[in-house]
Amino acid sequence: MLHGFKSFRNSVNHARHLRNRICTRGLTNKHCETSIKNGVGILKFDTPGSKVNALNEEFSYDCKEAFEELRDNPEVKSMVFISGKPDCFIAGADINMLAACETKEEIMTLSKGGQEFMQQMEDCKKPVVAAISGSCMGGGLEIALACHYRVALDTKKTSLALPEVMLGLLPGSGGTQRLPPLIGLPNALPMMLTGAGKNAKQAKKLGLVDLVIKSLGPGVKEPKTLSHDYLESCATDVARQLADGTLKKPKRTKSGMSMKALSHNLPLKNKILRNYVFKQATKEVMKKTHGLYPAPLKIIDSVKNGLESPSTGYARECENFGDLAMTDESRALQSIFFGKQACEKNHYGKPERMPQNMAVLGAGLMGAGIATVSLDKFPKVILKDVSDTALSKGEDMVRDVFQKKVKRKKMSQFDCDKLMSSLQSEVDYSNFKDVDIVIEAVFEDINLKHRIIKEVEAATPDHCIFASNTSALPIGDLAKASVRPENFIGMHYFSPVDKMPLLEIITTDQTSKETTAAAVEVGLKQKKTVIVVKDGPGFYTTRVIGALMGEAFACIQEGTSPTDLDKLFVKFGWPVGGATLVDEVGIDVAYKVTKYFLEVFGERISAGDPRVIEELVESGCLGRKSGKGIFLYRSSTKGGARPVNPVAQKIMDRYKKDGQVAPSGEDVQWRTYMRSVNEAALCLQEEIIANPVDGNIGLIFGIGHCPQRGGPFQFLDTYGAQAFVDKMRAYEDSLGFRFEPAQIVIDYANSGKKFMSG
């Protein structure tokens, strides 16, 4: 991420000369302080009042000023760059700085300023050491790359990454130019194209850091502080040795004929091999993004230009950075970034009584998943089901998630065993006396849920919160069985719970603010991105999925094949195809939701003939979980398109509209997408969602709603409310009233207002 700054004022040089003194304690400004220890200049950056250091103009100015003060001080023989925050080196750029820019030229000025400062660091005749602990992201890593030596503390929070691609950008302060020669093209491209981070040991193996320091245990100070002090001491020793020559700067070129050396050197030196690597990278990018995201291709172009024409590499990086920052895709991804940050705060305040002890009802896929994300966050977690057999299956699912982490070295076997031993499995309510929150994840049967609600409330204290994980049943209807409706709330998780980031919390008119605040806090503790919505049929996400799937089935009935539907969805930006989505949700679940929505909304939301989905269920085609749905799910199927289930095809053919010409691929894409956007707008109009930000985040993180468009309301602003209304009207004329545009969009079109400007 960029981390530069606009042109620096001439007063910096003047101030530096006035302050040219030799002393132990040097410059102190808002973000940085300098000191000198036996000839080693320590530049410590620490943004006050913030958990992270983020590069904005002020931070960058202060950092540059501090660097120049140490560089020009004759007493200083070498330098150490270190953060005052143990958990954060530099987290990257302050995205607000980028969002405030209105022109490409402004963006390029930022990039060029960053490049110039990094070059000053690299050209410094005094050795500069980066002491890395915690997150070292984007511009933070670019600063580290400009240093001559990198020391990293081995902690769980230490991570080095260039994640700009996730904001539709590229590393704009020299990252595309410095990383490939350092760690080799085959290693550098994946880091930049995916944004994936490396821990300290992985970074050392790649050559990204030169020395890894083990963290310390308890002592006179807490381990985190002790380890950070130790990192500073080690980095200072390294800097001193580099200055006096007892330690040589590492050789950045690989020697020998080992596979590691060859894979590093050959693509950098051999044009034919280098072009092959770029060709394969481009092929993989197009396969995964379908050309919908311009940033990966610009990253490849910047790296390629830098290797083939080093004198113009930085200029190309700067130019590409400016181009990307002005794209709709980057603006959309930045909007998601800001929205996610907003949804990771508790806007209802801290609860007076934070739930400590949790019980999860139902040891199936959802219940086991909820237990999994809770075990290391709460002192007591109970998993309850009706039988030991069911509990055993649930425990196996929890253990499987942890074992995969052990295999990937994200968790130790000891920690895995410790967590599993802390899980309490119960077949009755005898140990519910001190439970603070119960999350119910049983079958979608209102009578069953009503019975369970009464049983739980009889076994738990009066303050205990009851949360239902239902995906569609109205929370108000479920709460009718409760004697404590103020403690009743919906907590809709998404499957698989350990991977899907969204938690949709549903409140009724009777839900207390304290209950809502506690539920949000529980979700945040589980590391979820949380939105709070009002009760209503399907709440928010399920209601939008209902409209989306209804239109998808309508397209199938008009002649679009399930395979083509899937391809069209993915090419438009959805993470999975339309038919596959139905199979993943579960056709039986989709049938129940469709049946319910028909009663509430009528034919407007379903679009297709409901008998299709009904007969699919009756024939046992329930989706992936049953091995057959619209597609067949065979264990032997590897890669390529899954075969269409002939039983499902026969049912769909039976209800195909006679004489109907199959819609064009473009119409399929826009019809399904427009229906989902319009349903989201109706939810805002009806105050089911509180604001457009929640609407965007709910669909992006809940159902993967074409991230390159930023969510429904970012899309409406970019596409234009009037253009949306016009397109909906055109579809309404040919396809009927389900395409009637939401009144709120019509109002915004008439007024010229923007959804995301409030």
Side-chain angles (χ1 to χ4, degrees):
M1 259 167 236
L2 176 69
H3 337 308
F5 26 82
K6 294 184 180 177
S7 54
F8 292 98
R9 293 161 285 191
N10 292 330
S11 59
V12 175
N13 291 327
H14 177 64
R16 188 176 68 248
H17 289 303
L18 290 176
R19 201 178 45 256
N20 190 12
R21 58 186 183 276
I22 303 172
C23 57
T24 299
R25 178 66 59 187
L27 170 148
T28 298
N29 55 35
K30 181 177 178 180
H31 297 277
C32 302
E33 70 172 27
T34 63
S35 59
I36 304 171
K37 296 180 181 178
N38 297 322
V40 178
I42 312 294
L43 193 162
K44 186 171 291 185
F45 34 84
D46 190 351
T47 299
S50 175
K51 292 182 179 180
V52 301
N53 298 310
L55 288 161
N56 54 31
E57 288 186 77
E58 185 180 64
F59 182 100
S60 301
Y61 180 89
D62 285 358
C63 193
K64 181 175 187 290
E65 183 184 43
F67 165 75
E68 291 179 346
E69 190 253 355
L70 291 175
R71 182 195 63 189
D72 296 344
N73 190 328
E75 187 72 14
V76 174
K77 306 303 179 186
S78 58
M79 291 179 245
V80 169
F81 272 49
I82 189 168
S83 170
K85 305 178 191 296
D87 291 338
C88 178
F89 182 73
I90 297 175
D94 180 349
I95 306 304
N96 288 291
M97 178 176 65
L98 299 179
C101 294
E102 297 181 355
T103 66
K104 174 183 174 180
E105 288 69 31
E106 288 180 272
I107 294 289
M108 289 180 65
T109 299
L110 291 173
S111 176
K112 190 175 181 180
Q115 290 179 346
E116 289 173 350
F117 177 42
M118 307 305 167
Q119 195 62 48
Q120 279 186 302
M121 292 174 60
E122 186 176 295
D123 293 341
C124 182
K125 290 182 170 47
K126 299 175 180 181
V128 184
V129 177
I132 301 165
S133 176
S135 53
C136 179
M137 306 288 187
L141 181 52
E142 287 180 297
I143 283 179
L145 288 172
C147 294
H148 306 120
Y149 199 99
R150 287 164 288 280
V151 181
L153 186 65
D154 185 18
T155 71
K156 289 182 179 180
K157 293 194 175 182
T158 296
S159 179
L160 295 83
L162 291 173
E164 289 85 352
V165 70
M166 292 188 278
L167 292 172
L169 300 168
L170 54 72
S173 291
T176 66
Q177 306 302 299
R178 289 191 175 90
L179 189 63
L182 180 66
I183 66 173
L185 197 56
N187 291 322
L189 282 177
M191 274 193 72
M192 290 184 280
L193 294 175
T194 67
K198 304 295 180 183
N199 62 34
K201 289 180 179 177
Q202 291 170 331
K204 175 67 169 66
K205 189 175 181 180
L206 287 175
L208 188 54
V209 301
D210 303 297
L211 179 65
V212 173
I213 303 297
K214 289 185 178 181
S215 55
L216 303 179
V220 292
K221 300 178 183 178
E222 64 172 325
K224 183 190 296 185
T225 304
L226 276 175
S227 297
H228 196 251
D229 290 345
Y230 181 51
L231 171 67
E232 182 176 337
S233 175
C234 291
T236 302
D237 286 343
V238 166
R240 188 179 299 111
Q241 292 173 43
L242 286 170
D244 63 24
T246 56
L247 177 67
K248 301 297 182 183
K249 291 181 182 179
K251 291 183 179 180
R252 301 305 181 187
T253 55
K254 308 293 181 185
S255 59
M257 297 297 291
S258 67
M259 284 302 297
K260 184 177 181 180
L262 290 174
S263 65
H264 180 281
N265 295 332
L266 288 181
L268 296 175
K269 297 177 180 179
N270 185 290
K271 185 175 182 180
I272 294 175
L273 188 54
R274 183 168 64 243
N275 286 340
Y276 175 77
V277 172
F278 284 128
K279 183 179 178 181
Q280 291 301 110
T282 302
K283 183 179 177 181
E284 189 66 18
V285 164
M286 293 304 294
K287 179 181 176 181
K288 291 183 176 180
T289 70
H290 301 281
L292 296 171
Y293 297 87
L297 297 177
K298 290 285 190 181
I299 288 172
I300 292 172
D301 176 71
S302 298
V303 174
K304 190 172 188 289
N305 182 267
L307 292 176
E308 294 179 352
S309 178
S311 62
T312 62
Y314 286 94
R316 179 68 67 89
E317 176 188 86
C318 181
E319 181 82 20
N320 284 341
F321 190 86
D323 287 338
L324 288 173
M326 291 292 105
T327 61
D328 290 339
E329 290 81 5
S330 181
R331 294 298 191 193
L333 294 172
Q334 288 179 47
S335 174
I336 295 170
F337 174 84
F338 289 125
K340 186 174 186 291
Q341 283 189 325
C343 292
E344 290 174 345
K345 298 176 182 177
N346 194 338
H347 301 287
Y348 294 84
K350 291 286 183 182
E352 294 179 12
R353 183 195 289 268
M354 176 61 198
Q356 299 296 317
N357 300 323
M358 173 188 293
V360 181
L361 306 183
L365 184 64
M366 294 304 295
I370 295 167
T372 300
V373 300
S374 305
L375 267 177
D376 62 339
K377 310 297 190 308
F378 297 89
K380 177 178 178 179
V381 176
I382 297 173
L383 184 62
K384 182 196 176 298
D385 213 309
V386 295
S387 70
D388 289 331
T389 301
L391 285 170
S392 180
K393 290 180 180 178
E395 289 170 356
D396 287 344
M397 284 188 276
V398 176
R399 185 179 292 104
D400 184 56
V401 172
F402 292 148
Q403 284 299 151
K404 287 178 180 176
K405 289 186 177 182
V406 172
K407 189 175 181 180
R408 297 196 305 269
K409 298 184 178 181
K410 299 289 186 181
M411 175 185 285
S412 69
Q413 188 62 54
F414 175 80
D415 287 339
C416 170
D417 295 340
K418 183 180 177 181
L419 285 174
M420 288 306 303
S421 66
S422 71
L423 178 63
Q424 293 182 227
S425 298
E426 306 285 352
V427 293
D428 58 36
Y429 299 104
S430 58
N431 286 320
F432 278 48
K433 298 181 183 66
D434 61 348
V435 169
D436 302 308
I437 183 168
V438 173
I439 303 177
E440 165 269 306
V442 302
F443 298 116
E444 292 285 75
D445 183 311
I446 194 166
N447 294 320
L448 172 63
K449 290 178 186 284
H450 277 172
R451 176 171 62 79
I452 288 173
I453 291 164
K454 292 175 182 177
E455 292 173 354
V456 168
E457 291 187 340
T460 53
D462 289 344
H463 71 268
C464 182
I465 295 169
F466 190 100
S468 176
N469 179 51
T470 179
S471 60
L473 294 175
I475 301 301
D477 289 351
L478 293 176
K480 288 176 182 177
S482 173
V483 295
R484 303 193 292 257
E486 70 280 2
N487 292 356
F488 204 96
I489 200 164
M491 293 180 73
H492 178 203
Y493 293 84
F494 293 74
S495 182
V497 181
D498 63 296
K499 294 180 180 177
M500 294 295 285
L502 187 72
L503 171 60
E504 183 180 30
I505 290 177
I506 307 101
T507 64
T508 71
D509 292 339
Q510 292 179 289
T511 305
S512 70
K513 182 182 177 183
E514 169 70 10
T515 297
T516 306
V520 172
E521 202 66 26
V522 167
L524 294 177
K525 219 173 176 188
Q526 294 168 330
K527 302 299 182 184
K528 294 296 178 184
T529 300
V530 181
I531 64 169
V532 179
V533 305
K534 286 187 178 179
D535 192 20
F539 321 131
Y540 176 54
T541 54
T542 303
R543 179 169 161 181
V544 173
I545 290 175
L548 177 69
M549 291 195 302
E551 197 59 37
F553 266 110
C555 291
I556 288 175
Q557 284 182 240
E558 293 171 19
T560 302
S561 74
T563 301
D564 286 344
L565 182 71
D566 265 17
K567 290 178 181 177
L568 290 167
F569 261 61
V570 173
K571 286 180 179 178
F572 198 71
W574 295 94
V576 297
T580 296
L581 177 63
V582 178
D583 278 353
E584 294 286 354
V585 169
I587 295 177
D588 54 336
V589 175
Y591 172 61
K592 289 179 181 178
V593 172
T594 300
K595 190 175 179 182
Y596 172 54
F597 281 176
L598 279 170
E599 295 173 3
V600 178
F601 299 113
E603 295 181 5
R604 178 186 69 77
I605 203 163
S606 65
D609 193 320
R611 291 176 295 177
V612 174
I613 198 167
E614 182 178 1
E615 288 195 25
L616 286 170
V617 173
E618 289 174 353
S619 66
C621 302
L622 306 183
R624 179 186 284 272
K625 61 188 174 187
S626 66
K628 59 180 181 179
I630 295 176
F631 295 108
L632 291 176
Y633 296 86
R634 299 168 181 158
S635 57
S636 60
T637 303
K638 292 183 179 180
R642 292 187 179 276
V644 176
N645 180 2
V647 175
Q649 187 65 64
K650 188 175 180 180
I651 293 170
M652 290 184 289
D653 288 344
R654 191 181 305 139
Y655 291 97
K656 188 177 290 185
K657 296 178 181 178
D658 294 335
Q660 176 75 51
V661 177
S664 69
E666 184 179 359
D667 273 343
V668 170
Q669 291 171 325
W670 281 108
R671 279 170 53 181
T672 50
Y673 186 73
M674 293 291 226
R675 285 288 311 283
S676 70
V677 171
N678 200 55
E679 204 64 38
L682 286 169
C683 288
L684 180 64
Q685 181 177 305
E686 297 165 18
E687 299 183 345
I688 297 296
I689 51 176
N691 54 67
V693 171
D694 285 359
N696 288 338
I697 296 302
L699 295 191
I700 292 288
F701 289 92
I703 64 174
H705 196 267
C706 302
Q708 84 280 9
R709 291 183 169 84
F713 300 101
Q714 179 73 21
F715 164 75
L716 282 168
D717 284 351
T718 303
Y719 188 77
Q722 187 59 59
F724 178 85
V725 170
D726 293 343
K727 197 169 186 71
M728 288 289 286
R729 292 292 191 204
Y731 281 134
E732 184 182 15
D733 289 343
S734 59
L735 296 168
F737 70 98
R738 68 180 186 271
F739 281 95
E740 181 182 0
Q743 185 60 47
I744 191 171
V745 183
I746 296 172
D747 293 342
Y748 272 62
N750 291 337
S751 67
K753 289 171 61 180
K754 298 282 188 181
F755 284 96
M756 301 302 295
S757 62

